[in-house]
Amino acid sequence: MEFFSAYDGTKLAHRVLGDGPTVVCLPGGPMQACAYLGDLGGLSAHQRLIMPDLRGTGRSAQPKDPGTFRCDRLVDDVEALREHLGLDRMTLLAHSAGANLAALYVSRHPERVDRLALITPSVLAVGVTISGEDRRETARLRRHEPWFPAAYPDLEAITAGQGTPDSWQAIAPFFYGSWDRTARAHRAAEDEQRNPEAARIFAADGAFDPDATRTALARFGSPVLLLAGEVDVAAPPRAMAEFAALFPGVRPVVQPGAGHFPWLDDADRFAATTRAFLG
């Protein structure tokens, strides 16, 4: 890990993996340590990946002001990282909730981003609506899986606003293209990697202004990749198409058979797609 200081003196950490053109990779969670990204399906063999632990996660320090966990306030940490790396412009890759941070960063500093890759992105920052039926329809693509009969009622409960903590545990298989040993280990590590206090503040009131963000993204002229997973209930392809349409220069891709973590489901396909975009 390498370290730098944020605007308020908080000591922040980031991993450096691989060689090649630099890509700054923002993790999701929200507020989950970057370790879950692994090497992004072998992408580090071709790119120099900079993976920050957002404040209060992983090896990064806890801030004095918990309010700085709010997504819009994290933008200044991304800018501090860019300055620390000595980059005039950077290629930005963001996964899941990290896409909210990327969208806000692009809105505020469009001249600092030369390419933007959004991987199964969250839609909070841009106000796209994902209905319960969107999620259930995507989930039903998995109806032949052996775990489906036990998990689907819990997904129905969650989408009806009646989910419990046990329900969320039960639907874990829906987030992976294959509920195998690798997926189970990946899911088991999540709780220790995530800062629940920070996650509660991440999307607090005032964090997002979707109308303003959508207006800013419509003016963003740099290339954009938006990669969705075919069977991802967190970011269903229909909603991802609506998100992609906000950008003037977007390449939308749906990875077949992939869930919310497409680099785990088909590493070769994921790396090939992202490499083709990143150059």
Side-chain angles (χ1 to χ4, degrees):
M1 302 294 285
E2 297 185 11
F3 297 88
F4 66 102
S5 292
Y7 62 93
D8 61 351
T10 303
K11 187 177 181 181
L12 303 180
H14 64 89
R15 286 197 300 162
V16 182
L17 294 179
D19 293 306
T22 296
V23 181
V24 175
C25 306
L26 301 181
M31 304 307 289
Q32 186 170 346
C34 69
Y36 83 95
L37 295 171
D39 66 355
L40 285 173
L43 190 61
S44 62
H46 311 280
Q47 314 281 156
R48 177 175 176 250
L49 305 181
I50 306 295
M51 298 182 167
D53 280 339
L54 302 180
R55 57 178 52 217
T57 70
R59 297 287 300 279
S60 288
Q62 295 284 342
K64 293 179 180 179
D65 177 6
T68 60
F69 290 136
R70 207 174 71 177
C71 186
D72 59 319
R73 300 184 68 179
L74 294 172
V75 170
D76 288 332
D77 289 348
V78 179
E79 179 64 357
L81 175 58
R82 181 195 64 77
E83 293 176 348
H84 169 75
L85 296 171
L87 299 174
D88 181 58
R89 290 166 61 84
M90 61 182 172
T91 295
L92 202 55
L93 180 150
H95 173 246
S96 189
N100 297 305
L101 178 54
L104 296 189
Y105 183 85
V106 166
S107 299
R108 200 178 300 176
H109 302 288
E111 76 285 355
R112 297 301 188 185
V113 180
D114 59 7
R115 287 180 179 268
L116 174 65
L118 301 176
I119 311 302
T120 59
S122 168
V123 297
L124 292 176
V126 295
V128 170
T129 298
I130 303 178
S131 71
E133 182 52 30
D134 284 337
R135 301 189 196 279
R136 293 189 295 271
E137 181 180 355
T138 302
R140 288 194 292 271
L141 296 173
R142 317 292 299 281
R143 61 187 177 277
H144 300 301
E145 299 276 2
W147 46 262
F148 180 88
Y152 187 71
D154 286 284
L155 182 68
E156 289 184 304
I158 289 169
T159 57
Q162 300 170 354
T164 66
D166 287 343
S167 301
W168 285 99
Q169 292 290 336
I171 69 167
F174 282 117
F175 292 91
Y176 297 88
S178 177
W179 187 234
D180 54 16
R181 181 180 300 177
T182 298
R184 288 184 172 91
H186 190 265
R187 174 62 188 88
E190 181 178 315
D191 290 340
E192 292 184 359
Q193 295 169 347
R194 194 162 180 253
N195 181 333
E197 177 196 6
R200 285 190 292 270
I201 297 170
F202 180 82
D205 288 349
F208 305 121
D209 182 346
D211 289 341
T213 301
R214 292 165 77 106
T215 298
L217 297 183
R219 295 194 296 260
F220 182 61
S222 297
V224 177
L225 169 69
L226 195 151
L227 190 151
E230 180 187 20
V231 296
D232 183 9
V233 297
R238 187 210 61 78
M240 295 299 95
E242 184 178 342
F243 195 164
L246 301 178
F247 296 96
V250 69
R251 180 187 175 198
V253 175
V254 177
Q255 182 171 314
H260 200 55
F261 308 94
W263 64 91
L264 292 180
D265 298 323
D266 188 336
D268 290 343
R269 185 185 288 267
F270 174 82
T273 300
T274 50
R275 279 185 62 203
F277 171 73
L278 296 171

